[in-house]
Amino acid sequence: MSCDSQVVERLSGLVSSFICHSAGHLPDDVKTRLAQMKEVETEGFAPSIYDVMEKNMEMADKLGRPSCQDTGLPQFFAKVGTGFPYLEEIEPALVEAVKKATVEAPLRHNAVEVFDEVNTGNNVAHRIPWIDWELVPGSDKLELYFYMAGGGCSLPGFAKVLMPLEGYDGIAKAVFDQMTTYGVNACPPCLVGIGIAGSAEVAAKLSKKALLRPVGSHNENPKAAQMERDIEEGLNSVGLGPGGFGGKLSVMGVNIEQAARHPATLAVGMSTACWAHRRAGMIISPDFTYDFFTHKGVTL
Ligand code: SF4
């Protein structure tokens, strides 16, 4: 089966606009949460840090520029309907879209080839853009998420396998150790994604997928949802505050995703998103109409 170049062009044009818009505009749920958090912070440096964030968002919109100089390593998470008619074209279109958006957004050149230690200059390199695939039986649509994995917000990430005896307290301890050591590098307030599974790589991947869930949403499992609330409350009491300058709130929220574990292992992974949590999601139909659901009312 060969690739249809016209479809690649059409799809890459749409995805490139999607990337460019998300580089300069935070998703609706993040903007709402930041505004709520600003109301709570009335002392010290915190109110002025929120003022700066607000000004930053305003200027990014006005000037058509990214809302942070670090536009991250490009990552896609694709939920592909098995009936989506352009399976062959998705990957070449995503690669092309990144190249195009690198010039048009513009995106910082962030892809450095490992071992060669060469920056490719267009955000396309070995396995970058990173693409995570999921198949959705019975659907003819492509649900596409884009995430800009910045350096600072990727730094606190980790995954490790605990002895089951360490239990859920062990998971919380690992998260707190990491957040109190590296959390400030992730430009708080952060969204904290936690993956719980039987092995390190599954936990790590789930922790990143947890960041794609809306801020303020909760795990369907009531015990997991309680753990999200408990860790959120605990991390807020650490007092990192916006930008790490101190404050009442350190995190926008905590999202947990889980997979069943092996009886002898309890793995935990963590990923963090910064205040400039540039995640975008849209659903593309076979006729190229789309629902840009993270940024309502935006036409690409
Ligand atoms: S952590 Fe986020 S806001 Fe801070 S420099 Fe990195 S991408 Fe920008």
Side-chain angles (χ1 to χ4, degrees), residues 56 67-72 108 147-156 183-188 190 272-278:
N56 175 294
S67 41
C68 175
Q69 42 74 38
D70 185 356
T71 49
R108 198 172 85 178
Y147 180 67
M148 294 184 171
C153 51
S154 297
L155 194 68
V184 74
N185 292 283
C187 295
C190 306
T272 41
C274 56
W275 78 269
H277 179 25
R278 286 142 309 158

Side-chain angles (χ1 to χ4, degrees), residues 13-78:
L14 175 61
V15 176
S16 167
S17 303
F18 168 68
I19 296 172
C20 290
H21 188 85
S22 58
H25 302 84
L26 300 187
D28 301 338
D29 58 332
V30 174
K31 284 198 287 193
T32 303
R33 180 57 132 204
L34 290 173
Q36 290 166 346
M37 294 175 90
K38 185 184 176 188
E39 294 299 310
V40 177
E41 300 286 10
T42 50
E43 291 161 21
F45 281 123
S48 54
I49 302 295
Y50 278 106
D51 286 344
V52 169
M53 289 173 183
E54 235 173 51
K55 184 80 180 161
N56 175 294
M57 288 189 265
E58 208 183 290
M59 294 306 286
D61 181 49
K62 197 168 152 197
L63 300 173
R65 286 284 179 267
S67 41
C68 175
Q69 42 74 38
D70 185 356
T71 49
L73 260 183
Q75 298 184 331
F76 289 103
F77 296 82

Side-chain angles (χ1 to χ4, degrees), residues 52-252:
V52 169
M53 289 173 183
E54 235 173 51
K55 184 80 180 161
N56 175 294
M57 288 189 265
E58 208 183 290
M59 294 306 286
D61 181 49
K62 197 168 152 197
L63 300 173
R65 286 284 179 267
S67 41
C68 175
Q69 42 74 38
D70 185 356
T71 49
L73 260 183
Q75 298 184 331
F76 289 103
F77 296 82
K79 294 185 184 178
V80 190
T82 50
F84 187 68
Y86 312 121
L87 298 180
E88 292 281 332
E89 286 79 10
I90 300 173
E91 186 162 350
L94 299 186
V95 170
E96 205 42 49
V98 167
K99 287 186 193 164
K100 206 165 142 54
T102 297
V103 177
E104 290 175 5
L107 306 179
R108 198 172 85 178
H109 303 167
N110 273 339
V112 177
E113 290 290 13
V114 173
F115 296 116
D116 295 338
E117 294 303 320
V118 168
N119 190 321
T120 60
N122 61 1
N123 287 311
V124 172
H126 188 56
R127 294 187 169 139
I128 295 297
W130 179 260
I131 307 173
D132 178 271
W133 300 99
E134 267 180 57
L135 286 177
V136 185
S139 163
D140 65 352
K141 298 185 171 38
L142 167 63
E143 184 174 336
L144 189 66
Y145 290 84
F146 180 67
Y147 180 67
M148 294 184 171
C153 51
S154 297
L155 194 68
F158 80 95
K160 66 194 279 196
V161 185
L162 308 177
M163 297 295 279
L165 205 60
E166 293 182 67
Y168 294 86
D169 286 351
I171 290 172
K173 180 179 181 304
V175 168
F176 274 78
D177 284 351
Q178 202 73 359
M179 280 302 288
T180 50
T181 309
Y182 297 110
V184 74
N185 292 283
C187 295
C190 306
L191 178 64
V192 179
I194 299 172
I196 303 175
S199 58
E201 86 288 359
V202 177
K205 191 188 258 204
L206 289 175
S207 73
K208 180 55 72 73
K209 291 195 175 189
L211 294 183
L212 305 179
R213 252 181 45 204
V215 174
S217 65
H218 281 290
N219 192 297
E220 284 176 8
N221 181 307
K223 290 179 184 166
Q226 189 57 48
M227 191 170 180
E228 289 174 339
R229 290 189 183 93
D230 291 345
I231 294 180
E232 178 177 345
E233 194 184 322
L235 287 174
N236 280 333
S237 71
V238 166
L240 291 177
F245 287 95
K248 295 183 185 129
L249 301 174
S250 305
V251 294
M252 286 190 263

